């Protein structure tokens, strides 16, 4: 879906279901740091990924929102799926 950007590793649709509603969420996994608090954060690269995501959302109105996950090269895992909790 976002293969035109080398900064993006993969993208998929997840559906969140609660008793009241369901949401279609575009989940984007990227090799860059997505928070200014992360080491090696690059706002220019982050804006490129955000622009790609905005284009996909504009072309697909059935998608409610997007989540962008960063891939940490050193640990080879996404920040939301750590094997152990991060140190505080």
């Amino acid at each position: 879906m976002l293969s035109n950007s080398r900064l993006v590793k993969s993208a998929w649709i997840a559906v969140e279901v609660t008793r009241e509603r369901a949401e279609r969420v575009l989940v984007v996994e990227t090799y860059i740091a997505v928070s200014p608090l992360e080491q090696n954060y690059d706002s220019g690269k982050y804006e490129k990924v955000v622009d790609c995501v905005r284009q996909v959302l504009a072309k697909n109105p059935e998608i409610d929102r997007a989540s962008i996950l960063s891939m940490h090269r050193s640990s080879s895992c996404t920040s939301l799926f750590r094997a152990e909790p991060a140190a505080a």
Side-chain angles (χ1 to χ4, degrees):
M1 188 177 293
L2 297 175
S3 59
N4 63 332
S5 172
R6 291 178 300 166
L7 298 174
V8 172
K9 179 178 183 262
S10 61
W12 63 95
I13 295 290
V15 179
E16 283 192 356
V17 180
T18 65
R19 291 182 185 179
E20 293 80 26
R21 65 177 292 165
E23 282 190 354
R24 292 173 66 91
V25 183
L26 173 68
V27 182
V28 175
E29 188 176 59
T30 179
Y31 281 114
I32 68 166
V34 300
S35 166
L37 301 177
E38 291 183 75
Q39 187 177 8
N40 301 323
Y41 174 74
D42 183 322
S43 61
K45 288 181 179 178
Y46 178 70
E47 283 303 317
K48 287 181 182 179
V49 172
V50 170
D51 285 342
C52 286
V53 171
R54 286 184 178 141
Q55 289 175 17
V56 171
L57 292 176
K59 292 177 184 175
N60 298 276
E62 73 278 6
I63 300 175
D64 297 305
R65 59 191 174 92
S67 293
I68 302 174
L69 312 178
S70 62
M71 173 69 75
H72 298 278
R73 290 178 188 270
S74 58
S75 63
S76 299
C77 66
T78 59
S79 57
L80 287 183
F81 299 99
R82 295 181 188 276
E84 298 176 357

